[in-house]
């Protein structure tokens, strides 16, 4: 099924994730494209996405995309690795004329950054078993000889959704995921889920406590995603020139107050947030 979308440069950009993780991408979009109106949808009633089936993720991504487009989105950012791997193809097929940007674990920047050829990839279980991800790994390791160690991080998204970025339980969980990668020689860690940049400091602290701090590189692709979005909008003649101030609105399938708190705590932003049924 394909749809015609009336696009105007003044229309907003729709960004979505299973919860607050996509805010780590939104902050780069907000910084790089300050004139753009932004709609953020947190699918908190259904988080985490990491344990869902591909069929479910495809249907959900199509439903959320339809919601954002009904609210006028001129472009979509799937600010979730799990949904990108499972469903971005279906979203692009449904809306062939719409600029759609996804997020994938930064294997290419990881391969470029490693000095010893060993890169740890932290992501959800669904991302790491997705065909799109496995094909990317094959391609990058074939081209560069990089060894990728895959580490599913079950439970970590839930801790971040609860706002526990640096408590003991989160630190212990991170230790269990990160230490084995370091012990196997990884000198670069890819943050392959958009929630994980919010525990970047906790990871850096853990690495530093082992005495490895300076030698370990952490990779996050939020900045590159915002640049890709800017390129696509520019190419389509859809960059908003400015003028009246840009607005930011939040929507959630969960609790509006919780998303408002997350916006304030994670980004220092105070948008209007509405709880909606999608
Ligand atoms: N932030 C997400 C990702 O990048 C989703 C994680 C989840 O809900 O399990 O994969």
């Amino acid at each position: 099924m394909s749809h015609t979308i009336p696009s105007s440069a003044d229309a907003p950009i729709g960004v979505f994730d299973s919860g607050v993780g996509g805010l780590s991408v939104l902050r780069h979009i907000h910084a790089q494209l300050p004139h753009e109106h932004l709609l953020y949808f947190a699918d908190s009633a259904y988080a985490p996405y990491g344990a869902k089936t591909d069929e479910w993720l495809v249907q959900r991504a199509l439903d959320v995309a339809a919601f954002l487009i009904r609210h006028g989105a001129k472009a979509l950012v799937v600010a979730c690795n799990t949904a990108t791997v499972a469903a971005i193809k279906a979203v692009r097929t449904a809306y062939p004329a719409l600029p759609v940007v996804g997020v994938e674990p930064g294997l290419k920047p990881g391969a470029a950054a490693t000095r010893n050829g060993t890169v740890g990839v932290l992501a959800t279980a669904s991302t790491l078993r997705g065909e799109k991800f496995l094909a990317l790994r094959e391609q990058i390791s074939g081209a560069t000889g990089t060894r990728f160690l895959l580490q599913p991080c079950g439970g970590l998204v839930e801790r971040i959704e609860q706002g526990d970025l640096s408590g003991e339980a989160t630190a212990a969980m991170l230790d269990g995921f990160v230490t084995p990668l370091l012990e196997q020689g990884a000198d670069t860690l890819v943050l392959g889920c958009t929630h994980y940049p919010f525990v970047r400091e906790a990871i850096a602290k853990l690495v530093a406590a082992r005495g490895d701090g300076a030698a370990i590189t952490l990779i996050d692709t939020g900045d590159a995603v915002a640049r890709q979005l800017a390129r696509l909008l520019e190419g389509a003649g859809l960059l908003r020139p400015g003028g009246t101030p840009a607005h930011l609105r939040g929507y959630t399938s969960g609790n509006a107050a919780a998303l408002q708190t997350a916006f304030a705590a994670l980004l220092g932003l105070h948008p209007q947030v509405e709880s909606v049924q999608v």
Side-chain angles (χ1 to χ4, degrees), residues 174-221:
L174 284 171
D175 189 26
F177 297 140
V178 170
T179 301
L181 296 175
L182 301 177
E183 282 170 353
Q184 289 171 82
D187 70 352
T188 301
L189 298 176
V190 171
L191 306 180
C193 166
T194 53
H195 281 74
Y196 304 168
F198 293 123
V199 289
R200 193 184 176 110
E201 274 173 35
I203 296 175
K205 204 165 144 194
L206 183 126
V207 169
R210 289 173 45 92
D212 292 337
I216 305 295
T217 309
L218 298 179
I219 306 277
D220 150 29
T221 56

Side-chain angles (χ1 to χ4, degrees), residues 16-25 40 43 46-52 57 78-84 103 105 122-127 153 155-158 161 191-197:
F16 77 93
D17 177 49
S18 61
V20 302
L23 295 180
S24 73
V25 178
Y40 185 80
D43 202 5
Y46 295 96
Y49 278 179
K52 302 282 199 284
L57 288 165
V78 183
C80 172
N81 293 261
T82 309
T84 298
V103 184
L122 302 158
T124 69
S126 317
T127 295
C153 302
L156 185 53
V157 163
E158 288 91 323
E161 284 290 315
L191 306 180
C193 166
T194 53
H195 281 74
Y196 304 168

Side-chain angles (χ1 to χ4, degrees), residues 50-72:
K52 302 282 199 284
T53 64
D54 283 2
E55 292 70 27
W56 188 93
L57 288 165
V58 166
Q59 191 50 54
R60 193 65 191 152
L62 289 172
D63 290 346
V64 174
F67 169 82
L68 290 167
I69 288 163
R70 274 202 306 280
H71 284 73

Side-chain angles (χ1 to χ4, degrees), residues 37-166:
H37 298 310
L38 301 175
L39 306 178
Y40 185 80
F41 179 77
D43 202 5
S44 307
Y46 295 96
Y49 278 179
K52 302 282 199 284
T53 64
D54 283 2
E55 292 70 27
W56 188 93
L57 288 165
V58 166
Q59 191 50 54
R60 193 65 191 152
L62 289 172
D63 290 346
V64 174
F67 169 82
L68 290 167
I69 288 163
R70 274 202 306 280
H71 284 73
K74 66 180 175 185
L76 286 184
V77 179
V78 183
C80 172
N81 293 261
T82 309
T84 298
V85 164
I88 200 164
K89 204 166 144 201
V91 173
R92 289 195 169 122
T93 304
Y95 303 103
L98 187 77
V100 178
V101 181
V103 184
E104 279 182 284
L107 300 192
K108 207 166 163 195
T114 181
R115 294 166 309 282
N116 68 7
T118 303
V119 174
V121 184
L122 302 158
T124 69
S126 317
T127 295
L128 297 177
R129 65 156 192 269
E131 269 171 44
K132 196 171 183 331
F133 171 78
L134 293 172
L136 181 69
R137 180 183 68 161
E138 192 79 5
Q139 185 202 331
I140 309 288
S141 60
T144 62
T146 306
R147 182 167 71 113
F148 290 108
L149 308 172
L150 310 187
Q151 177 62 62
C153 302
L156 185 53
V157 163
E158 288 91 323
R159 297 229 60 80
I160 297 167
E161 284 290 315
Q162 285 158 19
D164 180 3
L165 308 183
S166 55

